[in-house]
Amino acid sequence: MSITIKNAQEIEKMRIAGRLASEVLDYITPFVKPGVTTGQLDKLCHDYMVDVQGCIPAPLHYAPPGHAPYPKSICTSVNHQVCHGVPGEKKLKPGDVVNLDITVIKEGWHGDTSRMFYVGEPNIQARRLTEITYECMWKGIAMVRAGAHLGDIGAAIQKYAEMNGYTVVREFCGHGIGEKFHEEPQVLHYGKAGSGPVLEAGMIFTVEPMINAGRRDIRMLGDGWTVVTKDHALSAQWEHTVLVTETGFEVLTLSAGSPAIPAFITAANATPAAVIA
Ligand code: MF3
Ligand code: CO
Ligand code: CO
């Protein structure tokens, strides 16, 4: 087993899948309002992926070893839910923050991205955690270029999270992605700069830090999927799918509705596609 290097044709397919995943988030944005249920958001996204985009929702019936098949088409993680929240009957209420995680399969290739959404007006703590977590993701992405080490990504994320008083979830990580949903390498969101494999142009993986306002400890709910913080403090996550290039990176999961890219990301280490949303 090793990290696959995608060729030009494969990269083009990943660009398409990545953009489509991001466009699902654009589509669902106006529906994320007080009173909507996470189950309704799942149904809307499912129908958009299948009927409008001609995509397969990758999470539906996804069954990694040791897991029951995932029952829905997207993940909806609310407030203290860390990741893999299963959509259901619960209504979103003003002040909630929710991560919507979308993975599409288009012509056999996967695009995987998530964003945080405010339901009504967030309180100051929720807004700060959401914004710092967004910056954590981009601090990690900014380390990506051929010749860098995989561990540089996690080190940058951990440093920025902890200097802001937050903790990094260790049990879940980013992942290689392509014809498989999850492939090598595992992209840790913590660790040591200079550790791990050397990055090569053509590698594609996600960067998807889960950052907690309280302690880093998590536990799994009885549904076998939903992960929550043990202390019930707030958790946030953002995710992009990223291509390694000779000079830096190209973010594959951008679209018209992607939030502004932080000012510390410059054209010096990103290809134009990553900086023009
Ligand atoms: N999209 C998630 C990720 O970023 C994985 C969800 S697996 C599921 O890797 F089965 F819960 F959908
Ligand atoms: Co992912
Ligand atoms: Co995802």
PDB file of all heavy atoms in Angstrom, residues 89-112:
ATOM      1  N   GLU A  89     -34.455  13.934  12.898  1.00  0.00           N
ATOM      2  CA  GLU A  89     -35.673  14.747  13.076  1.00  0.00           C
ATOM      3  C   GLU A  89     -35.442  16.040  13.834  1.00  0.00           C
ATOM      4  O   GLU A  89     -36.339  16.862  13.968  1.00  0.00           O
ATOM      5  CB  GLU A  89     -36.720  13.917  13.846  1.00  0.00           C
ATOM      6  CG  GLU A  89     -37.135  12.634  13.135  1.00  0.00           C
ATOM      7  CD  GLU A  89     -37.601  12.898  11.714  1.00  0.00           C
ATOM      8  OE1 GLU A  89     -38.585  13.659  11.559  1.00  0.00           O
ATOM      9  OE2 GLU A  89     -36.972  12.395  10.765  1.00  0.00           O
ATOM     10  N   LYS A  90     -34.216  16.208  14.384  1.00  0.00           N
ATOM     11  CA  LYS A  90     -33.983  17.367  15.249  1.00  0.00           C
ATOM     12  C   LYS A  90     -33.948  18.669  14.450  1.00  0.00           C
ATOM     13  O   LYS A  90     -33.251  18.772  13.444  1.00  0.00           O
ATOM     14  CB  LYS A  90     -32.669  17.188  16.017  1.00  0.00           C
ATOM     15  CG  LYS A  90     -32.846  17.336  17.524  1.00  0.00           C
ATOM     16  CD  LYS A  90     -31.552  17.170  18.289  1.00  0.00           C
ATOM     17  CE  LYS A  90     -30.754  18.461  18.239  1.00  0.00           C
ATOM     18  NZ  LYS A  90     -29.802  18.603  19.324  1.00  0.00           N
ATOM     19  N   LYS A  91     -34.710  19.659  14.952  1.00  0.00           N
ATOM     20  CA  LYS A  91     -34.737  20.964  14.294  1.00  0.00           C
ATOM     21  C   LYS A  91     -33.548  21.803  14.732  1.00  0.00           C
ATOM     22  O   LYS A  91     -33.227  21.849  15.931  1.00  0.00           O
ATOM     23  CB  LYS A  91     -36.009  21.720  14.692  1.00  0.00           C
ATOM     24  CG  LYS A  91     -37.249  21.227  13.976  1.00  0.00           C
ATOM     25  CD  LYS A  91     -38.452  22.112  14.289  1.00  0.00           C
ATOM     26  CE  LYS A  91     -39.625  21.659  13.449  1.00  0.00           C
ATOM     27  NZ  LYS A  91     -40.910  21.888  14.065  1.00  0.00           N
ATOM     28  N   LEU A  92     -32.920  22.488  13.793  1.00  0.00           N
ATOM     29  CA  LEU A  92     -31.882  23.455  14.143  1.00  0.00           C
ATOM     30  C   LEU A  92     -32.543  24.673  14.778  1.00  0.00           C
ATOM     31  O   LEU A  92     -33.643  25.074  14.388  1.00  0.00           O
ATOM     32  CB  LEU A  92     -31.102  23.847  12.892  1.00  0.00           C
ATOM     33  CG  LEU A  92     -30.307  22.705  12.244  1.00  0.00           C
ATOM     34  CD1 LEU A  92     -29.625  23.184  10.968  1.00  0.00           C
ATOM     35  CD2 LEU A  92     -29.281  22.131  13.222  1.00  0.00           C
ATOM     36  N   LYS A  93     -31.854  25.251  15.788  1.00  0.00           N
ATOM     37  CA  LYS A  93     -32.426  26.394  16.501  1.00  0.00           C
ATOM     38  C   LYS A  93     -31.452  27.574  16.464  1.00  0.00           C
ATOM     39  O   LYS A  93     -30.242  27.369  16.240  1.00  0.00           O
ATOM     40  CB  LYS A  93     -32.778  26.006  17.939  1.00  0.00           C
ATOM     41  CG  LYS A  93     -31.614  25.480  18.736  1.00  0.00           C
ATOM     42  CD  LYS A  93     -32.047  25.056  20.128  1.00  0.00           C
ATOM     43  CE  LYS A  93     -30.836  24.854  21.047  1.00  0.00           C
ATOM     44  NZ  LYS A  93     -29.788  23.974  20.476  1.00  0.00           N
ATOM     45  N   PRO A  94     -31.971  28.785  16.686  1.00  0.00           N
ATOM     46  CA  PRO A  94     -31.100  29.956  16.616  1.00  0.00           C
ATOM     47  C   PRO A  94     -29.902  29.804  17.555  1.00  0.00           C
ATOM     48  O   PRO A  94     -30.057  29.370  18.698  1.00  0.00           O
ATOM     49  CB  PRO A  94     -32.010  31.103  17.075  1.00  0.00           C
ATOM     50  CG  PRO A  94     -33.396  30.622  16.796  1.00  0.00           C
ATOM     51  CD  PRO A  94     -33.361  29.131  17.001  1.00  0.00           C
ATOM     52  N   GLY A  95     -28.718  30.130  17.057  1.00  0.00           N
ATOM     53  CA  GLY A  95     -27.502  30.031  17.860  1.00  0.00           C
ATOM     54  C   GLY A  95     -26.745  28.732  17.657  1.00  0.00           C
ATOM     55  O   GLY A  95     -25.589  28.612  18.068  1.00  0.00           O
ATOM     56  N   ASP A  96     -27.365  27.749  17.018  1.00  0.00           N
ATOM     57  CA  ASP A  96     -26.643  26.513  16.705  1.00  0.00           C
ATOM     58  C   ASP A  96     -25.563  26.790  15.660  1.00  0.00           C
ATOM     59  O   ASP A  96     -25.703  27.683  14.819  1.00  0.00           O
ATOM     60  CB  ASP A  96     -27.588  25.446  16.122  1.00  0.00           C
ATOM     61  CG  ASP A  96     -28.450  24.753  17.170  1.00  0.00           C
ATOM     62  OD1 ASP A  96     -28.167  24.901  18.378  1.00  0.00           O
ATOM     63  OD2 ASP A  96     -29.417  24.071  16.772  1.00  0.00           O
ATOM     64  N   VAL A  97     -24.497  25.994  15.706  1.00  0.00           N
ATOM     65  CA  VAL A  97     -23.533  25.955  14.602  1.00  0.00           C
ATOM     66  C   VAL A  97     -23.489  24.516  14.116  1.00  0.00           C
ATOM     67  O   VAL A  97     -23.517  23.578  14.914  1.00  0.00           O
ATOM     68  CB  VAL A  97     -22.117  26.451  15.007  1.00  0.00           C
ATOM     69  CG1 VAL A  97     -22.109  27.954  15.189  1.00  0.00           C
ATOM     70  CG2 VAL A  97     -21.622  25.757  16.246  1.00  0.00           C
ATOM     71  N   VAL A  98     -23.458  24.355  12.803  1.00  0.00           N
ATOM     72  CA  VAL A  98     -23.533  23.001  12.241  1.00  0.00           C
ATOM     73  C   VAL A  98     -22.516  22.844  11.119  1.00  0.00           C
ATOM     74  O   VAL A  98     -22.344  23.738  10.298  1.00  0.00           O
ATOM     75  CB  VAL A  98     -24.971  22.676  11.751  1.00  0.00           C
ATOM     76  CG1 VAL A  98     -25.465  23.664  10.710  1.00  0.00           C
ATOM     77  CG2 VAL A  98     -25.059  21.241  11.206  1.00  0.00           C
ATOM     78  N   ASN A  99     -21.820  21.710  11.139  1.00  0.00           N
ATOM     79  CA  ASN A  99     -20.943  21.331  10.027  1.00  0.00           C
ATOM     80  C   ASN A  99     -21.713  20.427   9.084  1.00  0.00           C
ATOM     81  O   ASN A  99     -22.324  19.446   9.507  1.00  0.00           O
ATOM     82  CB  ASN A  99     -19.697  20.595  10.547  1.00  0.00           C
ATOM     83  CG  ASN A  99     -18.835  20.073   9.403  1.00  0.00           C
ATOM     84  OD1 ASN A  99     -19.125  19.032   8.816  1.00  0.00           O
ATOM     85  ND2 ASN A  99     -17.780  20.791   9.083  1.00  0.00           N
ATOM     86  N   LEU A 100     -21.700  20.801   7.812  1.00  0.00           N
ATOM     87  CA  LEU A 100     -22.268  19.931   6.775  1.00  0.00           C
ATOM     88  C   LEU A 100     -21.115  19.392   5.950  1.00  0.00           C
ATOM     89  O   LEU A 100     -20.322  20.158   5.387  1.00  0.00           O
ATOM     90  CB  LEU A 100     -23.241  20.712   5.886  1.00  0.00           C
ATOM     91  CG  LEU A 100     -24.425  21.374   6.602  1.00  0.00           C
ATOM     92  CD1 LEU A 100     -25.349  22.038   5.584  1.00  0.00           C
ATOM     93  CD2 LEU A 100     -25.209  20.375   7.452  1.00  0.00           C
ATOM     94  N   ASP A 101     -21.004  18.051   5.906  1.00  0.00           N
ATOM     95  CA  ASP A 101     -19.884  17.384   5.236  1.00  0.00           C
ATOM     96  C   ASP A 101     -20.428  16.603   4.038  1.00  0.00           C
ATOM     97  O   ASP A 101     -21.279  15.725   4.190  1.00  0.00           O
ATOM     98  CB  ASP A 101     -19.177  16.450   6.224  1.00  0.00           C
ATOM     99  CG  ASP A 101     -17.831  15.958   5.701  1.00  0.00           C
ATOM    100  OD1 ASP A 101     -17.593  16.011   4.484  1.00  0.00           O
ATOM    101  OD2 ASP A 101     -17.020  15.501   6.539  1.00  0.00           O
ATOM    102  N   ILE A 102     -19.937  16.979   2.869  1.00  0.00           N
ATOM    103  CA  ILE A 102     -20.455  16.445   1.599  1.00  0.00           C
ATOM    104  C   ILE A 102     -19.352  15.672   0.899  1.00  0.00           C
ATOM    105  O   ILE A 102     -18.239  16.197   0.712  1.00  0.00           O
ATOM    106  CB  ILE A 102     -20.875  17.609   0.665  1.00  0.00           C
ATOM    107  CG1 ILE A 102     -21.883  18.536   1.338  1.00  0.00           C
ATOM    108  CG2 ILE A 102     -21.370  17.063  -0.683  1.00  0.00           C
ATOM    109  CD1 ILE A 102     -23.239  17.933   1.612  1.00  0.00           C
ATOM    110  N   THR A 103     -19.649  14.455   0.472  1.00  0.00           N
ATOM    111  CA  THR A 103     -18.729  13.729  -0.403  1.00  0.00           C
ATOM    112  C   THR A 103     -19.518  13.183  -1.583  1.00  0.00           C
ATOM    113  O   THR A 103     -20.476  12.426  -1.399  1.00  0.00           O
ATOM    114  CB  THR A 103     -18.026  12.581   0.330  1.00  0.00           C
ATOM    115  OG1 THR A 103     -17.512  13.077   1.577  1.00  0.00           O
ATOM    116  CG2 THR A 103     -16.874  12.030  -0.503  1.00  0.00           C
ATOM    117  N   VAL A 104     -19.117  13.606  -2.793  1.00  0.00           N
ATOM    118  CA  VAL A 104     -19.778  13.110  -4.007  1.00  0.00           C
ATOM    119  C   VAL A 104     -18.836  12.166  -4.742  1.00  0.00           C
ATOM    120  O   VAL A 104     -17.612  12.255  -4.612  1.00  0.00           O
ATOM    121  CB  VAL A 104     -20.177  14.258  -4.964  1.00  0.00           C
ATOM    122  CG1 VAL A 104     -21.071  15.276  -4.270  1.00  0.00           C
ATOM    123  CG2 VAL A 104     -18.956  14.931  -5.582  1.00  0.00           C
ATOM    124  N   ILE A 105     -19.455  11.270  -5.514  1.00  0.00           N
ATOM    125  CA  ILE A 105     -18.690  10.460  -6.474  1.00  0.00           C
ATOM    126  C   ILE A 105     -19.183  10.834  -7.863  1.00  0.00           C
ATOM    127  O   ILE A 105     -20.388  10.749  -8.143  1.00  0.00           O
ATOM    128  CB  ILE A 105     -18.886   8.944  -6.259  1.00  0.00           C
ATOM    129  CG1 ILE A 105     -18.673   8.568  -4.793  1.00  0.00           C
ATOM    130  CG2 ILE A 105     -17.964   8.152  -7.183  1.00  0.00           C
ATOM    131  CD1 ILE A 105     -19.032   7.108  -4.475  1.00  0.00           C
ATOM    132  N   LYS A 106     -18.272  11.306  -8.711  1.00  0.00           N
ATOM    133  CA  LYS A 106     -18.610  11.640 -10.088  1.00  0.00           C
ATOM    134  C   LYS A 106     -17.681  10.859 -11.009  1.00  0.00           C
ATOM    135  O   LYS A 106     -16.458  11.016 -10.923  1.00  0.00           O
ATOM    136  CB  LYS A 106     -18.446  13.149 -10.312  1.00  0.00           C
ATOM    137  CG  LYS A 106     -18.833  13.612 -11.709  1.00  0.00           C
ATOM    138  CD  LYS A 106     -20.337  13.479 -11.954  1.00  0.00           C
ATOM    139  CE  LYS A 106     -20.757  14.193 -13.227  1.00  0.00           C
ATOM    140  NZ  LYS A 106     -22.215  14.050 -13.472  1.00  0.00           N
ATOM    141  N   GLU A 107     -18.265  10.045 -11.856  1.00  0.00           N
ATOM    142  CA  GLU A 107     -17.496   9.192 -12.773  1.00  0.00           C
ATOM    143  C   GLU A 107     -16.390   8.427 -12.052  1.00  0.00           C
ATOM    144  O   GLU A 107     -15.273   8.293 -12.554  1.00  0.00           O
ATOM    145  CB  GLU A 107     -16.946  10.030 -13.926  1.00  0.00           C
ATOM    146  CG  GLU A 107     -18.072  10.507 -14.841  1.00  0.00           C
ATOM    147  CD  GLU A 107     -17.613  11.384 -15.991  1.00  0.00           C
ATOM    148  OE1 GLU A 107     -16.394  11.443 -16.267  1.00  0.00           O
ATOM    149  OE2 GLU A 107     -18.485  12.018 -16.592  1.00  0.00           O
ATOM    150  N   GLY A 108     -16.723   7.958 -10.834  1.00  0.00           N
ATOM    151  CA  GLY A 108     -15.804   7.102 -10.091  1.00  0.00           C
ATOM    152  C   GLY A 108     -14.817   7.841  -9.200  1.00  0.00           C
ATOM    153  O   GLY A 108     -14.065   7.204  -8.468  1.00  0.00           O
ATOM    154  N   TRP A 109     -14.840   9.190  -9.238  1.00  0.00           N
ATOM    155  CA  TRP A 109     -13.862   9.978  -8.461  1.00  0.00           C
ATOM    156  C   TRP A 109     -14.563  10.774  -7.373  1.00  0.00           C
ATOM    157  O   TRP A 109     -15.668  11.266  -7.577  1.00  0.00           O
ATOM    158  CB  TRP A 109     -13.057  10.884  -9.401  1.00  0.00           C
ATOM    159  CG  TRP A 109     -12.246  10.049 -10.339  1.00  0.00           C
ATOM    160  CD1 TRP A 109     -12.655   9.503 -11.521  1.00  0.00           C
ATOM    161  CD2 TRP A 109     -10.901   9.570 -10.115  1.00  0.00           C
ATOM    162  NE1 TRP A 109     -11.663   8.728 -12.065  1.00  0.00           N
ATOM    163  CE2 TRP A 109     -10.573   8.756 -11.233  1.00  0.00           C
ATOM    164  CE3 TRP A 109      -9.951   9.750  -9.112  1.00  0.00           C
ATOM    165  CZ2 TRP A 109      -9.327   8.126 -11.355  1.00  0.00           C
ATOM    166  CZ3 TRP A 109      -8.715   9.132  -9.235  1.00  0.00           C
ATOM    167  CH2 TRP A 109      -8.417   8.333 -10.342  1.00  0.00           C
ATOM    168  N   HIS A 110     -13.895  10.889  -6.210  1.00  0.00           N
ATOM    169  CA  HIS A 110     -14.505  11.490  -5.024  1.00  0.00           C
ATOM    170  C   HIS A 110     -14.074  12.942  -4.799  1.00  0.00           C
ATOM    171  O   HIS A 110     -12.897  13.282  -4.980  1.00  0.00           O
ATOM    172  CB  HIS A 110     -14.103  10.709  -3.771  1.00  0.00           C
ATOM    173  CG  HIS A 110     -14.683   9.337  -3.666  1.00  0.00           C
ATOM    174  ND1 HIS A 110     -14.268   8.284  -4.450  1.00  0.00           N
ATOM    175  CD2 HIS A 110     -15.666   8.838  -2.859  1.00  0.00           C
ATOM    176  CE1 HIS A 110     -14.952   7.192  -4.127  1.00  0.00           C
ATOM    177  NE2 HIS A 110     -15.804   7.501  -3.164  1.00  0.00           N
ATOM    178  N   GLY A 111     -15.016  13.764  -4.369  1.00  0.00           N
ATOM    179  CA  GLY A 111     -14.723  15.116  -3.874  1.00  0.00           C
ATOM    180  C   GLY A 111     -15.315  15.237  -2.484  1.00  0.00           C
ATOM    181  O   GLY A 111     -16.474  14.870  -2.277  1.00  0.00           O
ATOM    182  N   ASP A 112     -14.553  15.751  -1.519  1.00  0.00           N
ATOM    183  CA  ASP A 112     -14.931  15.709  -0.093  1.00  0.00           C
ATOM    184  C   ASP A 112     -14.664  17.078   0.523  1.00  0.00           C
ATOM    185  O   ASP A 112     -13.510  17.542   0.525  1.00  0.00           O
ATOM    186  CB  ASP A 112     -14.076  14.620   0.576  1.00  0.00           C
ATOM    187  CG  ASP A 112     -14.461  14.304   2.008  1.00  0.00           C
ATOM    188  OD1 ASP A 112     -15.473  14.835   2.499  1.00  0.00           O
ATOM    189  OD2 ASP A 112     -13.734  13.498   2.624  1.00  0.00           O
TER     190      ASP A 112
END
